[in-house]
Amino acid sequence: MTCEAAAGDPGQEPAGESGGAGGTDLLQVWAQVPDPRDRRGRRHSLTVMFALVQAAIVSGATTWAAVRHWITVAPEQVLQSVGARRNARTGVLEAPHPDTVYRTLTGVDPAQVDAAYARYRAAQVPDLYDDDELIGLTVDGKTQRGTATGDGRARHRLGAMLAADAITLAQLDVDGKSNEITAFVPLLDQIGDIANMVISADMMHTQRDHARYLRRRGTHFVFPVGGNQPALFDRLDQLAWTDVPSGWTTYDRGHGRQEIRTIQVMPAPGGLKFPHVKQVFLVERHFYGLDGEHLSGQAVLGVTSLTAAQADARRLAGFVRGEWSIENRDHYIRDVTLGEDRCRVRAGALPSVLAVMRSHAIGALRLLGFTNIAEATRWARDDFTHPLIALGLNI
């Protein structure tokens, strides 16, 4: 039941004021989750428990011991803000005992928790983008390695993140990586309105049923094509790519190497046995040492429902790159800065609850103006009211 903390990178000071969502209070969100306890004998509300654990995670608590400590030492101002009860005899505000919090959160329905957080985040989207703006949303799975048991199985979750802003909109549990395909639709069903979004995902999700589902919801897709669609891959691979000029090129330098990325785009050829495809593309990535020596290369074929008028080569390249962003802008931070992979909490729903709370903490701090989450959690630790500011709670 322990997790080890890990350090992150330096960051910046906050630029905004609140992580709240368009008039919807997080306390109301947590109130939507059914309490697993019998009504008799409840001294502290489930909402208060959620609030205290979420605030502790915003402040960088990576172990259950750290969460326990934060709850135990939270000052009266924090307890009042989250709606803690007063002791009938002393009149002093009381925090629930951390053992009570642990037992209660292991018994909640994780699907209900995920859905409540997803509704909250989805309500923020209209405030982040223009009405007619295409919004990149990338879908990918992550294994919580610290939850592995004696048989070697670990919890696995599928998530959907706003690619440009690196804010997770929705998550849910899946039985394993092979079941991500069946979890794709339930995940996106958590988000009420996905019109004008452009969904990117890895090759596993390049499925005809996924494409049809997305277009029924008024949503577009940008999918890579690989071995799980051999006929489609062969058809794209046989196209005359050597006759197609590069539509967009980017150059990056860092971590001791250089990367050149190009994309070629052409209209979808006739007879393509994949629904709703308007354009096809080829992305090539080449890696070089700082001395110019070629180190490696990668080529990815893909399909999209976006027309050339909706997305030219440059725009498509951005959506493709967005699919890779969830790894380093959510998964990496959850593992390294917030200690998820080292976390040994395994009981009941708690691993799932902590996972969605970690992603929510990252998003809340980003909406506050931070670009570096390690620095943001240090800021949150400086004052007990700072996590409440990030979460948009009254103080």
Side-chain angles (χ1 to χ4, degrees):
M1 197 172 70
T2 60
C3 328
E4 294 182 16
D9 301 320
Q12 299 179 357
E13 289 298 312
E17 293 183 355
S18 175
T24 302
D25 194 286
L26 265 175
L27 298 176
Q28 296 173 300
V29 171
W30 294 318
Q32 299 168 22
V33 180
D35 195 319
R37 300 171 294 172
D38 190 286
R39 289 186 176 275
R40 295 169 294 179
R42 295 183 192 173
R43 298 182 62 206
H44 302 277
S45 73
L46 181 61
T47 297
V48 171
M49 297 182 191
F50 273 119
L52 292 173
V53 176
Q54 181 68 82
I57 290 174
V58 170
S59 70
T62 60
T63 68
W64 187 254
V67 172
R68 288 176 61 95
H69 177 75
W70 201 95
I71 293 172
T72 302
V73 301
E76 185 167 297
Q77 184 180 9
V78 169
L79 298 179
Q80 183 175 8
S81 296
V82 302
R85 68 185 290 275
R86 291 188 180 275
N87 184 292
R89 182 174 58 84
T90 65
V92 175
L93 287 166
E94 291 182 328
H97 193 281
D99 289 346
T100 302
V101 177
Y102 183 89
R103 288 193 302 270
T104 304
L105 294 191
T106 61
V108 298
D109 182 346
Q112 294 277 2
V113 177
D114 290 332
Y117 272 94
R119 286 191 292 268
Y120 177 81
R121 277 293 181 230
Q124 292 180 298
V125 173
D127 295 330
L128 298 176
Y129 303 95
D130 295 332
D131 291 341
D132 58 349
E133 184 176 357
L134 290 174
I135 304 167
L137 185 71
T138 181
V139 173
D140 195 20
K142 181 184 183 301
T143 299
Q144 295 173 269
R145 291 181 175 83
T147 63
T149 55
D151 62 5
R153 295 190 64 186
R155 308 284 185 97
H156 192 81
R157 289 174 67 76
L158 190 65
M161 187 190 78
L162 295 170
D165 293 288
I167 296 170
T168 298
L169 287 192
Q171 284 186 31
L172 54 70
D173 289 326
V174 298
D175 290 338
K177 199 168 180 64
S178 63
N179 289 323
E180 282 190 23
I181 294 173
T182 58
F184 183 87
V185 170
L187 173 74
L188 296 179
D189 279 346
Q190 290 183 344
I191 307 170
D193 183 7
I194 58 174
N196 290 332
M197 289 190 179
V198 180
I199 310 301
S200 60
D202 61 26
M203 293 177 186
M204 181 191 309
H205 295 289
T206 306
Q207 304 286 335
R208 292 170 177 81
D209 287 344
H210 288 3
R212 296 186 185 101
Y213 162 80
L214 293 174
R215 293 307 296 135
R216 283 198 302 270
R217 293 198 63 186
T219 306
H220 289 282
F221 59 83
V222 174
F223 286 155
V225 176
N228 66 324
Q229 296 286 347
L232 179 61
F233 178 86
D234 290 343
R235 182 77 171 88
L236 298 185
D237 193 42
Q238 293 166 7
L239 296 175
W241 292 108
T242 55
D243 298 333
V244 180
S246 173
W248 181 250
T249 301
T250 58
Y251 169 82
D252 291 309
R253 180 186 176 101
H255 304 289
R257 67 180 186 180
Q258 306 172 75
E259 177 185 359
I260 298 176
R261 183 187 293 107
T262 62
I263 185 170
Q264 298 163 265
V265 184
M266 67 171 73
L272 202 63
K273 295 182 178 179
F274 198 90
H276 305 295
V277 176
K278 302 300 182 185
Q279 297 185 91
V280 297
F281 58 85
L282 170 63
V283 173
E284 291 187 296
R285 303 169 71 191
H286 290 277
F287 300 94
Y288 300 86
L290 297 182
D291 59 358
E293 178 187 1
H294 187 262
L295 302 176
S296 63
Q298 179 187 35
V300 177
L301 292 162
V303 295
T304 180
S305 60
L306 293 163
T307 66
Q310 292 170 316
D312 59 9
R314 178 179 182 178
R315 195 74 188 278
L316 270 182
F319 289 129
V320 172
R321 193 167 188 176
E323 191 270 314
W324 302 325
S325 67
I326 193 170
E327 291 286 347
N328 57 23
R329 303 188 74 189
D330 179 73
H331 298 177
Y332 179 83
I333 294 170
R334 280 161 59 187
D335 285 341
V336 176
T337 305
L338 299 181
E340 180 167 285
D341 259 5
R342 299 180 181 181
C343 187
R344 297 296 185 265
V345 173
R346 298 168 181 162
L350 195 52
S352 302
V353 172
L354 294 178
V356 74
M357 284 186 170
R358 291 184 188 105
S359 286
H360 188 84
I362 294 168
L365 292 166
R366 284 207 169 102
L367 287 172
L368 203 61
F370 282 100
T371 58
N372 184 282
I373 303 305
E375 177 68 19
T377 57
R378 288 192 286 271
W379 166 81
R381 284 195 296 272
D382 287 343
D383 190 309
F384 274 97
T385 63
H386 287 177
L388 303 184
I389 292 172
L391 295 172
L393 301 176
N394 295 325
I395 61 172

mmCIF file of all heavy atoms in Angstrom, residues 235-236 238-245 263-269 277-282 302-304 306 308 313 316:
data_model
loop_
_atom_site.group_PDB
_atom_site.id
_atom_site.type_symbol
_atom_site.label_atom_id
_atom_site.label_comp_id
_atom_site.label_asym_id
_atom_site.label_seq_id
_atom_site.Cartn_x
_atom_site.Cartn_y
_atom_site.Cartn_z
ATOM 1 N N ARG A 235 -2.858 -1.654 -49.815
ATOM 2 C CA ARG A 235 -3.425 -0.706 -50.797
ATOM 3 C C ARG A 235 -2.738 0.648 -50.689
ATOM 4 O O ARG A 235 -2.376 1.263 -51.710
ATOM 5 C CB ARG A 235 -4.922 -0.556 -50.551
ATOM 6 C CG ARG A 235 -5.634 0.358 -51.528
ATOM 7 C CD ARG A 235 -5.864 -0.333 -52.870
ATOM 8 N NE ARG A 235 -6.724 0.462 -53.722
ATOM 9 C CZ ARG A 235 -6.297 1.420 -54.549
ATOM 10 N NH1 ARG A 235 -5.002 1.700 -54.616
ATOM 11 N NH2 ARG A 235 -7.149 2.079 -55.296
ATOM 12 N N LEU A 236 -2.535 1.122 -49.469
ATOM 13 C CA LEU A 236 -1.882 2.421 -49.285
ATOM 14 C C LEU A 236 -0.402 2.346 -49.641
ATOM 15 O O LEU A 236 0.158 3.285 -50.226
ATOM 16 C CB LEU A 236 -2.043 2.898 -47.838
ATOM 17 C CG LEU A 236 -3.458 3.146 -47.324
ATOM 18 C CD1 LEU A 236 -3.421 3.724 -45.915
ATOM 19 C CD2 LEU A 236 -4.227 4.086 -48.254
ATOM 20 N N GLN A 238 1.006 0.644 -51.860
ATOM 21 C CA GLN A 238 1.214 0.551 -53.304
ATOM 22 C C GLN A 238 0.978 1.874 -54.037
ATOM 23 O O GLN A 238 1.218 1.948 -55.249
ATOM 24 C CB GLN A 238 0.299 -0.528 -53.883
ATOM 25 C CG GLN A 238 0.649 -1.943 -53.432
ATOM 26 C CD GLN A 238 -0.437 -2.948 -53.718
ATOM 27 O OE1 GLN A 238 -1.439 -2.628 -54.383
ATOM 28 N NE2 GLN A 238 -0.270 -4.177 -53.231
ATOM 29 N N LEU A 239 0.513 2.874 -53.335
ATOM 30 C CA LEU A 239 0.273 4.162 -53.988
ATOM 31 C C LEU A 239 1.588 4.804 -54.411
ATOM 32 O O LEU A 239 2.655 4.517 -53.853
ATOM 33 C CB LEU A 239 -0.486 5.094 -53.039
ATOM 34 C CG LEU A 239 -1.906 4.641 -52.649
ATOM 35 C CD1 LEU A 239 -2.509 5.592 -51.615
ATOM 36 C CD2 LEU A 239 -2.812 4.553 -53.875
ATOM 37 N N ALA A 240 1.508 5.692 -55.366
ATOM 38 C CA ALA A 240 2.706 6.313 -55.950
ATOM 39 C C ALA A 240 3.206 7.463 -55.076
ATOM 40 O O ALA A 240 3.171 8.637 -55.478
ATOM 41 C CB ALA A 240 2.398 6.801 -57.363
ATOM 42 N N TRP A 241 3.701 7.122 -53.894
ATOM 43 C CA TRP A 241 4.147 8.162 -52.966
ATOM 44 C C TRP A 241 5.366 8.920 -53.492
ATOM 45 O O TRP A 241 5.573 10.087 -53.138
ATOM 46 C CB TRP A 241 4.471 7.535 -51.601
ATOM 47 C CG TRP A 241 3.250 7.005 -50.900
ATOM 48 C CD1 TRP A 241 2.898 5.703 -50.713
ATOM 49 C CD2 TRP A 241 2.198 7.787 -50.316
ATOM 50 N NE1 TRP A 241 1.692 5.621 -50.045
ATOM 51 C CE2 TRP A 241 1.249 6.883 -49.783
ATOM 52 C CE3 TRP A 241 1.964 9.147 -50.192
ATOM 53 C CZ2 TRP A 241 0.089 7.296 -49.138
ATOM 54 C CZ3 TRP A 241 0.810 9.575 -49.535
ATOM 55 C CH2 TRP A 241 -0.104 8.661 -49.023
ATOM 56 N N THR A 242 6.160 8.270 -54.331
ATOM 57 C CA THR A 242 7.341 8.957 -54.859
ATOM 58 C C THR A 242 6.971 10.114 -55.766
ATOM 59 O O THR A 242 7.802 11.010 -56.012
ATOM 60 C CB THR A 242 8.230 7.963 -55.642
ATOM 61 O OG1 THR A 242 7.444 7.336 -56.660
ATOM 62 C CG2 THR A 242 8.811 6.910 -54.712
ATOM 63 N N ASP A 243 5.726 10.126 -56.256
ATOM 64 C CA ASP A 243 5.277 11.223 -57.116
ATOM 65 C C ASP A 243 4.596 12.341 -56.332
ATOM 66 O O ASP A 243 4.176 13.343 -56.909
ATOM 67 C CB ASP A 243 4.290 10.686 -58.163
ATOM 68 C CG ASP A 243 4.921 9.651 -59.084
ATOM 69 O OD1 ASP A 243 6.154 9.716 -59.270
ATOM 70 O OD2 ASP A 243 4.182 8.775 -59.590
ATOM 71 N N VAL A 244 4.452 12.155 -55.014
ATOM 72 C CA VAL A 244 3.739 13.132 -54.178
ATOM 73 C C VAL A 244 4.761 13.976 -53.425
ATOM 74 O O VAL A 244 5.581 13.437 -52.671
ATOM 75 C CB VAL A 244 2.798 12.427 -53.179
ATOM 76 C CG1 VAL A 244 2.070 13.451 -52.312
ATOM 77 C CG2 VAL A 244 1.805 11.541 -53.925
ATOM 78 N N PRO A 245 4.744 15.282 -53.622
ATOM 79 C CA PRO A 245 5.703 16.120 -52.899
ATOM 80 C C PRO A 245 5.385 16.179 -51.403
ATOM 81 O O PRO A 245 4.249 15.954 -50.989
ATOM 82 C CB PRO A 245 5.532 17.501 -53.554
ATOM 83 C CG PRO A 245 4.126 17.487 -54.062
ATOM 84 C CD PRO A 245 3.846 16.073 -54.488
ATOM 85 N N ILE A 263 5.409 14.904 -44.087
ATOM 86 C CA ILE A 263 4.115 14.278 -44.366
ATOM 87 C C ILE A 263 3.753 14.525 -45.821
ATOM 88 O O ILE A 263 3.948 15.631 -46.349
ATOM 89 C CB ILE A 263 3.005 14.810 -43.426
ATOM 90 C CG1 ILE A 263 1.693 14.027 -43.667
ATOM 91 C CG2 ILE A 263 2.799 16.308 -43.572
ATOM 92 C CD1 ILE A 263 0.620 14.308 -42.630
ATOM 93 N N GLN A 264 3.286 13.472 -46.488
ATOM 94 C CA GLN A 264 2.753 13.544 -47.849
ATOM 95 C C GLN A 264 1.273 13.167 -47.784
ATOM 96 O O GLN A 264 0.899 12.234 -47.075
ATOM 97 C CB GLN A 264 3.499 12.582 -48.768
ATOM 98 C CG GLN A 264 4.988 12.878 -48.920
ATOM 99 C CD GLN A 264 5.746 11.690 -49.475
ATOM 100 O OE1 GLN A 264 6.303 10.901 -48.712
ATOM 101 N NE2 GLN A 264 5.753 11.546 -50.800
ATOM 102 N N VAL A 265 0.461 13.885 -48.531
ATOM 103 C CA VAL A 265 -0.989 13.689 -48.464
ATOM 104 C C VAL A 265 -1.540 13.609 -49.882
ATOM 105 O O VAL A 265 -1.094 14.337 -50.775
ATOM 106 C CB VAL A 265 -1.670 14.853 -47.698
ATOM 107 C CG1 VAL A 265 -3.160 14.584 -47.550
ATOM 108 C CG2 VAL A 265 -1.020 15.071 -46.335
ATOM 109 N N MET A 266 -2.523 12.722 -50.079
ATOM 110 C CA MET A 266 -3.230 12.666 -51.358
ATOM 111 C C MET A 266 -4.692 12.305 -51.113
ATOM 112 O O MET A 266 -5.039 11.775 -50.046
ATOM 113 C CB MET A 266 -2.573 11.655 -52.301
ATOM 114 C CG MET A 266 -2.684 10.205 -51.876
ATOM 115 S SD MET A 266 -2.118 9.039 -53.160
ATOM 116 C CE MET A 266 -0.351 9.276 -53.085
ATOM 117 N N PRO A 267 -5.574 12.610 -52.076
ATOM 118 C CA PRO A 267 -6.983 12.222 -51.923
ATOM 119 C C PRO A 267 -7.109 10.705 -51.802
ATOM 120 O O PRO A 267 -6.292 9.951 -52.334
ATOM 121 C CB PRO A 267 -7.638 12.739 -53.202
ATOM 122 C CG PRO A 267 -6.721 13.794 -53.702
ATOM 123 C CD PRO A 267 -5.344 13.367 -53.317
ATOM 124 N N ALA A 268 -8.130 10.259 -51.093
ATOM 125 C CA ALA A 268 -8.349 8.819 -50.933
ATOM 126 C C ALA A 268 -8.583 8.173 -52.289
ATOM 127 O O ALA A 268 -9.401 8.659 -53.084
ATOM 128 C CB ALA A 268 -9.539 8.567 -50.017
ATOM 129 N N PRO A 269 -7.896 7.090 -52.593
ATOM 130 C CA PRO A 269 -8.101 6.418 -53.879
ATOM 131 C C PRO A 269 -9.441 5.697 -53.913
ATOM 132 O O PRO A 269 -10.024 5.370 -52.870
ATOM 133 C CB PRO A 269 -6.939 5.413 -53.931
ATOM 134 C CG PRO A 269 -6.626 5.138 -52.502
ATOM 135 C CD PRO A 269 -6.873 6.429 -51.770
ATOM 136 N N VAL A 277 -13.218 7.680 -45.563
ATOM 137 C CA VAL A 277 -11.869 8.209 -45.774
ATOM 138 C C VAL A 277 -11.891 9.239 -46.895
ATOM 139 O O VAL A 277 -12.368 8.965 -47.996
ATOM 140 C CB VAL A 277 -10.878 7.077 -46.110
ATOM 141 C CG1 VAL A 277 -9.493 7.659 -46.412
ATOM 142 C CG2 VAL A 277 -10.796 6.087 -44.961
ATOM 143 N N LYS A 278 -11.364 10.419 -46.623
ATOM 144 C CA LYS A 278 -11.280 11.486 -47.619
ATOM 145 C C LYS A 278 -9.858 11.735 -48.086
ATOM 146 O O LYS A 278 -9.637 12.164 -49.223
ATOM 147 C CB LYS A 278 -11.853 12.787 -47.038
ATOM 148 C CG LYS A 278 -13.299 12.683 -46.575
ATOM 149 C CD LYS A 278 -14.227 12.295 -47.712
ATOM 150 C CE LYS A 278 -15.679 12.247 -47.241
ATOM 151 N NZ LYS A 278 -16.591 11.760 -48.311
ATOM 152 N N GLN A 279 -8.879 11.495 -47.210
ATOM 153 C CA GLN A 279 -7.476 11.676 -47.571
ATOM 154 C C GLN A 279 -6.657 10.536 -46.960
ATOM 155 O O GLN A 279 -7.036 9.951 -45.945
ATOM 156 C CB GLN A 279 -6.926 13.013 -47.039
ATOM 157 C CG GLN A 279 -7.592 14.254 -47.599
ATOM 158 C CD GLN A 279 -6.899 15.513 -47.117
ATOM 159 O OE1 GLN A 279 -5.975 16.023 -47.745
ATOM 160 N NE2 GLN A 279 -7.359 16.036 -45.990
ATOM 161 N N VAL A 280 -5.530 10.265 -47.593
ATOM 162 C CA VAL A 280 -4.567 9.297 -47.049
ATOM 163 C C VAL A 280 -3.224 10.005 -46.936
ATOM 164 O O VAL A 280 -2.972 10.995 -47.629
ATOM 165 C CB VAL A 280 -4.460 8.044 -47.935
ATOM 166 C CG1 VAL A 280 -5.791 7.315 -47.989
ATOM 167 C CG2 VAL A 280 -3.996 8.401 -49.350
ATOM 168 N N PHE A 281 -2.357 9.494 -46.050
ATOM 169 C CA PHE A 281 -1.102 10.214 -45.821
ATOM 170 C C PHE A 281 0.024 9.246 -45.485
ATOM 171 O O PHE A 281 -0.193 8.086 -45.086
ATOM 172 C CB PHE A 281 -1.265 11.248 -44.698
ATOM 173 C CG PHE A 281 -1.702 10.689 -43.370
ATOM 174 C CD1 PHE A 281 -0.778 10.174 -42.459
ATOM 175 C CD2 PHE A 281 -3.047 10.680 -43.012
ATOM 176 C CE1 PHE A 281 -1.189 9.669 -41.237
ATOM 177 C CE2 PHE A 281 -3.465 10.171 -41.797
ATOM 178 C CZ PHE A 281 -2.532 9.662 -40.900
ATOM 179 N N LEU A 282 1.229 9.736 -45.660
ATOM 180 C CA LEU A 282 2.452 9.021 -45.296
ATOM 181 C C LEU A 282 3.327 9.972 -44.485
ATOM 182 O O LEU A 282 3.700 11.042 -44.960
ATOM 183 C CB LEU A 282 3.212 8.567 -46.551
ATOM 184 C CG LEU A 282 4.625 8.014 -46.321
ATOM 185 C CD1 LEU A 282 4.598 6.746 -45.478
ATOM 186 C CD2 LEU A 282 5.331 7.768 -47.661
ATOM 187 N N GLY A 302 -1.488 6.345 -43.151
ATOM 188 C CA GLY A 302 -2.693 6.642 -42.397
ATOM 189 C C GLY A 302 -3.849 7.105 -43.251
ATOM 190 O O GLY A 302 -3.699 7.382 -44.447
ATOM 191 N N VAL A 303 -5.019 7.166 -42.602
ATOM 192 C CA VAL A 303 -6.254 7.599 -43.261
ATOM 193 C C VAL A 303 -6.945 8.624 -42.376
ATOM 194 O O VAL A 303 -6.789 8.624 -41.151
ATOM 195 C CB VAL A 303 -7.201 6.401 -43.518
ATOM 196 C CG1 VAL A 303 -6.593 5.433 -44.510
ATOM 197 C CG2 VAL A 303 -7.554 5.681 -42.208
ATOM 198 N N THR A 304 -7.733 9.480 -43.017
ATOM 199 C CA THR A 304 -8.489 10.475 -42.265
ATOM 200 C C THR A 304 -9.810 10.773 -42.962
ATOM 201 O O THR A 304 -9.915 10.682 -44.198
ATOM 202 C CB THR A 304 -7.690 11.782 -42.094
ATOM 203 O OG1 THR A 304 -8.481 12.719 -41.346
ATOM 204 C CG2 THR A 304 -7.336 12.396 -43.441
ATOM 205 N N LEU A 306 -11.053 13.751 -42.719
ATOM 206 C CA LEU A 306 -10.980 15.183 -42.997
ATOM 207 C C LEU A 306 -10.704 15.426 -44.480
ATOM 208 O O LEU A 306 -9.847 14.769 -45.082
ATOM 209 C CB LEU A 306 -9.874 15.825 -42.164
ATOM 210 C CG LEU A 306 -10.094 15.861 -40.653
ATOM 211 C CD1 LEU A 306 -8.784 16.120 -39.931
ATOM 212 C CD2 LEU A 306 -11.130 16.930 -40.286
ATOM 213 N N ALA A 308 -9.454 17.921 -47.691
ATOM 214 C CA ALA A 308 -8.330 18.846 -47.859
ATOM 215 C C ALA A 308 -8.712 20.253 -47.435
ATOM 216 O O ALA A 308 -7.870 21.011 -46.940
ATOM 217 C CB ALA A 308 -7.861 18.831 -49.314
ATOM 218 N N ALA A 313 -1.922 19.526 -45.300
ATOM 219 C CA ALA A 313 -0.837 18.675 -44.814
ATOM 220 C C ALA A 313 -0.308 19.140 -43.460
ATOM 221 O O ALA A 313 -0.037 18.325 -42.571
ATOM 222 C CB ALA A 313 0.290 18.647 -45.842
ATOM 223 N N LEU A 316 -2.863 18.200 -40.782
ATOM 224 C CA LEU A 316 -2.864 16.757 -40.558
ATOM 225 C C LEU A 316 -1.635 16.321 -39.763
ATOM 226 O O LEU A 316 -1.730 15.470 -38.874
ATOM 227 C CB LEU A 316 -2.886 16.021 -41.897
ATOM 228 C CG LEU A 316 -4.253 15.688 -42.495
ATOM 229 C CD1 LEU A 316 -4.061 14.911 -43.793
ATOM 230 C CD2 LEU A 316 -5.086 14.886 -41.509
#
